[in-house]
Amino acid sequence: MDIALSTTLHTGFDEAVERTRTALSEQGFGVLTEIDMQATLKAKLGEDMENYLILGACNPPLAHRAVGVDRRIGLLLPCNVVVRRDPAAADTVIVEAMNPDIMVEVTGEPALNPVAAEAATKLRAAIDSLRTE
């Protein structure tokens, strides 16, 4: 199983982040958390790295259904979406979303299948829409 649903964009980093937020919103996801790995690693470790942003995306109806099946599923929520500059190509940004099927794989809970399938459909639609803009 692939852990990510992804696409590659040839655009600026800030534009890729904005487009990703919009695509997620159009599929019913809000961004609850944002982790700027570049800034965090620089501040905490003095290490430099390319632009790398982790967006914690949540679709409340799907999250509610998942938690209804297994309260521990909150350990795997929200769905992480990474927007990162390709270190090998300055004009390339990679957008990756966690594959929701991981929830089923990790828990072994078959009742999560329909929730993961719907989440995957929505995340794939968001990622795929980035390719056409």
Side-chain angles (χ1 to χ4, degrees):
M1 170 188 318
D2 195 352
I3 68 166
L5 312 172
S6 66
T7 193
T8 301
L9 307 175
H10 298 286
T11 187
F13 184 77
D14 291 338
E15 181 180 336
V17 170
E18 187 58 36
R19 286 173 53 191
T20 301
R21 286 178 182 280
T22 299
L24 289 168
S25 177
E26 289 171 353
Q27 293 299 320
F29 290 89
V31 175
L32 302 178
T33 61
E34 181 177 306
I35 301 168
D36 183 336
M37 289 292 292
Q38 181 186 45
T40 300
L41 294 180
K42 184 65 172 178
K44 302 292 183 185
L45 303 175
E47 295 290 336
D48 291 318
M49 73 175 296
E50 69 279 0
N51 296 97
Y52 193 116
L53 191 65
I54 303 170
L55 303 174
C58 179
N59 180 301
L62 293 175
H64 180 255
R65 286 172 47 203
V67 171
V69 172
D70 185 340
R71 291 289 199 234
R72 298 172 299 165
I73 207 67
L75 295 165
L76 301 174
L77 298 177
C79 296
N80 283 329
V81 178
V82 172
V83 182
R84 62 185 177 90
R85 182 167 310 286
D86 184 344
D91 68 336
T92 302
V93 178
I94 300 164
V95 180
E96 301 168 308
M98 182 191 79
N99 183 342
D101 292 335
I102 290 172
M103 289 189 310
V104 179
E105 185 78 20
V106 168
T107 64
E109 176 56 66
L112 287 171
N113 276 322
V115 179
E118 187 174 342
T121 297
K122 290 179 179 297
L123 286 170
R124 272 191 197 95
I127 295 293
D128 289 348
S129 76
L130 296 172
R131 293 185 190 126
T132 60
E133 290 185 26

